[in-house]
Amino acid sequence: MRIEESIVIDASRERVWAWVGDPSTYRRFMSGLTRWEAVGEQQTGTGARYAMRMRVGAAEVGGLIEVVEFEQPGDIAWTSITGLDQRGRWRLRERGEGRTEVMLRFTYQAPGGIVSAISDRFSGPLVRRNLRQSLEELGRQVEGAGPGADGADLPAPLEALGRGIHAARVLAATRVARPERPDKLVRLGLALARWGPTPAGGYTASAIRHPHAPAVIDERGELSFEQIHRRTNSLAHALSDAGVLEGDGIAIMCRNHRGFVEATIAASKLGAHSLYLNTAFAGPQLTDVVKREKPAAIVYDHEFAELLGDAGARRKRFVAW
């Protein structure tokens, strides 16, 4: 999915670049950004790498990114190395009378299949809102107005109500919310308010609307959305009991079967970050990735046990298939 927003700021391109060209300032104005830290000695410019995470609804997405274009004072582009498949770009253009047009573009792709379809459908409006708010706050900062008053914290009940209203709007805009019984519609809104545009939110909503519809069909048969919902609740509790906490990473190395889907949803319900390991990697590559990303646990198919020997050392391990 590709999302692009732009704004005209009453400041020179060099003045705007002083902010956009320095990633250490991003957390001061980028909405939803929870992490943007340099990885390695290079702090800026082409080749610089950063660990970044952005909150989208109730979920956090991100990974390791690398700057692939850095032309001051006009363009910065980056692409993902690990984590969410993403590409981003800042572009600054002079618009006369000391003004600058600032464009922010973000392209991303969730893991394939139904997980991707559900995530993309619900996340688009939230990502667009983050981009728009980021540009507006950048304008306030550059023009010297400081943080906007609309960023003030709301009491928890009002914030929850706001999330619920926004979730209902998303449902209506994406044509997911067709006429429903009021109790079912409320449960849908609460599920999306709790988990946002995540696999947990998407599958829980599907379990409410279509509990008996087939969700996964693999070599072992068929599972309905209700069955997936209950099984992943149990799996999330079991992972928590095993010591995996909210915010931890869970590496997943599975082929296309229920284990891959259920591990992804359970991690999402737990608030853990999924790290998808390439099933074509050799042992040393897996060890390097796991060493760098430091997941708390690994979920894998038994056929990969030997490959994960070194990577899985001193980590919790769970066999999915």
Side-chain angles (χ1 to χ4, degrees), residues 217-219 254-258 260 301:
I217 301 175
D218 60 17
E219 297 173 37
C254 301
R255 298 201 185 275
N256 295 327
H257 53 71
R258 64 186 64 189
F260 170 82
D301 290 349

Side-chain angles (χ1 to χ4, degrees), residues 197-258:
T198 63
Y203 272 86
T204 300
S206 296
I208 294 169
R209 295 202 65 228
H210 308 292
H212 305 299
V216 173
I217 301 175
D218 60 17
E219 297 173 37
R220 293 183 178 174
E222 179 180 292
L223 289 174
S224 68
F225 282 106
E226 175 65 22
Q227 288 174 312
I228 289 284
H229 179 52
R230 293 183 182 277
R231 287 164 61 94
T232 54
N233 280 347
S234 298
L235 182 55
H237 283 299
L239 289 168
S240 178
D241 292 342
V244 181
L245 305 176
E246 180 179 1
D248 282 345
I250 299 178
I252 300 173
M253 189 171 182
C254 301
R255 298 201 185 275
N256 295 327
H257 53 71
R258 64 186 64 189

Side-chain angles (χ1 to χ4, degrees), residues 253-255 276-286 303-304 307:
M253 189 171 182
C254 301
R255 298 201 185 275
Y276 297 104
L277 300 179
N278 193 326
T279 56
F281 275 0
Q285 291 175 293
L286 293 170
E303 65 179 285
F304 302 122
L307 286 175

